[in-house]
Amino acid sequence: MGREFLDLVDTREAHSIIRSLFQEIYHPPKVEKINLKYAYGRVLAQDVKSPIDLPPFNRASRDGYALKAEDTFHASEDNPSILKCIEVIEAGAIPQKKVRRGYCSRISTGAPIPEGADAIVMIEYTEEEDDNILIYRSAYPGQHIAPRGSDMPKNEIIAKKNSILSPEKIGAISAAGISKVPVIAKPKIGILSTGNELIEPSNHWTPGKIFDSNSHSLAAAVKNCGCEPKILGIVKDDYTEVYKTIQESIQECDILITSGGTSAGAGDMLREVIEDIGEVIIHGISIKPGKPTIIGKIDDKLVFGLPGFPVSALIIFDVFLRPYLMELSGKPQMEHRTIELPLARRLHSSRGRIHYALVKIENNKVYPILKDSGAITSLADADGYIKVPKNVEILEEGSNVKVSPFSQ
């Protein structure tokens, strides 16, 4: 058990299986209500409608005097209308007096319009003289008044389902008095590294050991998909320890991602553990790098066993998990963005498997990074990767290739 691959599946079949599993297990996505102050960047699970008219009352849109428009007809610099001010209405106050012919109320922007008034003359076109207000410009009915519901009537949609909550949407929602919104719950993705050789990153290196980089790179990739990563640490290549850790970890997350322990070697028992706890669905994909990838199911949750080499782990994540995690988190699905440029040098590939090769872009040319999938520096140098079809052995210098950036 664990010493040989199950039947290899090609990438098309792998995508078909993964897509079906996500539909079966995770759709429709979970919904939660959260406070608006935590809502930035989240995805709405339902339409949000205004429970009130906006504005909720007839509101002044300028500082000035609320009055009857007919009192100002024919007013000019040479022949001002003369009115009596009966009260001052500040924003947030409630008018106490009705405006009649020959009278006005001093009003601030945002304050409610007093009964009887149908227009506002801006303060710039008025003057106080003793107990009188001189109006030097005529007004028309409705001037500088924002009617109730003119911005948004009650029950109108403020923000639509599946939209990302931006500062503008959050501002509009809060203006309607809404403090909590329904959003798609962030899927919790557990990340576990396996291997006797791994230690946590620190200032102290131990001979024979290597620092665990996969946990942190995969956590960043998970965040980029709109999900919530949970780094679960390192487990040694021991059947009992791996069994116990996976059994416990699967309870803490919606999806578990492991790295390492997937190939058909004597020390790799991940497939055996998954089979004993749940079910192995895929063990081996016809792809380079990343052939020994495992996909399983435990307690109706998916487990993705990625190769331990950093390049392999990130490429498998980007190709086989990223699109489904983004969909699950509600992030907009865009076509995988590619950049088409000429190859700077010849690239050899292995016939029979699709090859994803890391590349760097310089001077509008694509340079293959010729390091093995265990070289972490190749990721630091890479701008993305190219896909070489399985029936192609050589890509000639100058041939156009499509580069897929890691971050979409």
Side-chain angles (χ1 to χ4, degrees), residues 369-385:
I369 297 174
L370 304 177
K371 296 180 181 179
D372 67 43
S373 56
I376 191 64
T377 53
S378 59
L379 282 173
D381 292 338
D383 291 313
Y385 57 85

Side-chain angles (χ1 to χ4, degrees), residues 256-262 270 274 283 290 292-296 303-307 316:
L256 178 62
I257 299 175
T258 71
S259 63
T262 60
L270 182 61
I274 294 175
H283 185 204
T293 297
I294 292 176
I295 299 171
V303 180
F304 285 81
L306 309 187
I316 292 297

Side-chain angles (χ1 to χ4, degrees), residues 127-144:
E127 186 179 359
E128 291 186 36
E129 188 177 273
D130 298 328
D131 293 332
N132 297 321
I133 305 299
L134 278 59
I135 309 294
Y136 292 110
R137 183 171 291 192
S138 63
Y140 56 85
Q143 177 173 287
H144 302 317

Side-chain angles (χ1 to χ4, degrees), residues 281-299:
I281 298 164
I282 293 175
H283 185 204
I285 301 176
S286 184
I287 187 176
K288 177 184 178 182
K291 175 182 173 183
T293 297
I294 292 176
I295 299 171
K297 186 164 68 168
I298 298 174
D299 292 343

Side-chain angles (χ1 to χ4, degrees), residues 57-61 66 89 95 107 111-120 144-146:
F57 48 81
N58 295 336
R59 183 179 65 187
S61 59
I89 309 168
I107 195 165
I113 303 299
E115 185 182 353
D118 64 0
I120 292 173
H144 302 317
I145 293 176

Side-chain angles (χ1 to χ4, degrees), residues 352-364:
R353 281 192 284 163
I354 290 176
H355 180 197
Y356 288 89
L358 292 183
V359 295
K360 184 174 180 61
I361 298 174
E362 285 183 352
N363 300 320
N364 288 323

